[in-house]
Amino acid sequence: MTPGLSERLTVVRERIQAAARLAGRDPAEITLIAVTKFHPASLVRDLAALGQRDVGENRDQEAHAKAGELASLGLHWHFIGQLQTNKARRVVSYAHAVHSVDRPRLVDALDAAVGGENGPANGGPLDCFLQVSLDGSPGRGGVTPDGLLPLAQQVLAAAGLRLRGLMAVAPLGEDPDPAFEHLRLLSLRLRRLAPEANAISAGMSHDFEKAIAHGATHLRIGTAITGIRPTRG
Ligand SMILES: *Cc1c(COP(=O)(O)O)cnc(C)c1O
């Protein structure tokens, strides 16, 4: 067992419970995704032994290898990184959800991939979160708030995809509260179009309690659980 892993996971689970109670929310409506990028498959195996079923990865090459090695564990793999269209087919072969859907061509590629012979991992449809850019910096990916509803319409019309909701990363070096509140309001707007697309993927190690206060349903937490990430080889 990875040293300290069990203790850190327990602390994070307790903090989630406390933040949910403080926000008057039911902790059961919050899904913890343990982000395991850069860490070896053995750490993911340890997490599975601790009852952690949802894991997040941001690079196809690494995720594909780990998901293949650990296929027998029946984990739910969440793809959370920027995704090139030419990787869509492979990602769909192991991922249950993609949190970084942010442009029409990627929607087309994912839908086509689900219809292909090698996907998706859960038999389909593929769960999709639309990644929204909250700071207008295109470098980190995400659709602008203006482009959100047209993109949602496209996912709703795609037979192989299931629109789950929104995803965002709070802007770097700023108070995350206004960003998470903006995301919550965008979620309300989306739900007028698609009431079932009520998920909000937000909150990382340093800001997940604030994300919970603003309605996050899927937390993507790495270092607070895994410890410091090894540098990428
Ligand atoms: C790495 C990553 C996380 C987790 O970050 P931590 O600060 O380690 O919790 C969450 N979301 C995305 C998109 C990431 O790439």
Side-chain angles (χ1 to χ4, degrees), residues 4 16 28-29 68 83 94 98 109 118 123 137 141 163 166 186 193 199 211 217:
I16 292 169
E29 69 187 34
L83 180 54
Y94 58 83
V98 174
N118 68 338
S137 84
L163 184 61
L166 301 182
L186 290 172
L193 174 72
T217 61

Side-chain angles (χ1 to χ4, degrees), residues 6-228:
S6 171
E7 292 77 7
R8 287 191 298 269
L9 181 62
T10 298
V11 167
V12 167
R13 284 173 173 161
E14 287 171 357
R15 286 172 60 189
I16 292 169
Q17 300 258 342
R21 273 196 300 275
L22 200 63
R25 300 182 54 200
D26 179 359
E29 69 187 34
I30 297 172
T31 300
L32 169 59
I33 300 165
V35 177
T36 50
K37 65 191 185 195
F38 303 19
H39 287 282
S42 57
L43 180 136
V44 185
R45 193 183 289 283
D46 290 343
L47 283 170
L50 296 167
Q52 178 62 34
R53 321 253 13 122
D54 289 273
V55 292
E57 289 280 337
N58 73 338
R59 277 207 320 180
D60 166 61
Q61 206 182 351
E62 185 183 338
H64 179 257
K66 286 185 211 170
E69 184 176 338
L70 303 175
S72 64
L73 297 180
L75 298 173
H76 284 189
W77 295 86
H78 296 254
F79 193 85
I80 64 171
Q82 282 185 285
L83 180 54
Q84 295 168 276
T85 51
N86 63 1
K87 300 276 172 59
R89 278 186 62 189
R90 217 169 70 161
V91 165
V92 157
S93 73
Y94 58 83
H96 291 70
V98 174
H99 291 239
S100 45
V101 178
D102 64 353
R103 60 198 189 279
R105 283 191 56 226
L106 182 57
V107 174
D108 286 340
L110 289 169
D111 190 34
V114 171
E117 77 267 17
N118 68 338
N122 59 350
L126 175 74
D127 280 354
C128 291
F129 293 75
L130 302 182
Q131 184 178 353
V132 190
S133 170
L134 296 175
D135 60 1
S137 84
R140 302 171 75 202
V143 63
T144 62
D146 283 348
L148 180 60
L149 293 188
L151 195 64
Q153 300 269 22
Q154 190 191 353
V155 174
L156 290 169
L161 309 180
R162 173 175 175 237
L163 184 61
R164 290 289 283 117
L166 301 182
M167 178 276 217
V169 180
L172 280 172
E174 283 175 33
D175 176 9
D177 269 318
F180 289 147
E181 183 57 16
H182 188 186
L183 185 64
R184 191 180 70 82
L185 296 175
L186 290 172
S187 170
L188 292 176
R189 202 192 291 171
L190 174 65
R191 277 181 262 175
R192 288 205 292 271
L193 174 72
E196 68 289 354
N198 58 2
I200 299 177
S201 167
M204 303 168 42
S205 291
H206 61 285
D207 60 14
F208 69 84
E209 278 126 334
K210 287 185 170 178
I212 290 170
H214 294 282
T217 61
H218 291 68
L219 314 174
R220 309 178 311 272
I221 302 182
T223 49
I225 296 171
T226 62
I228 304 297

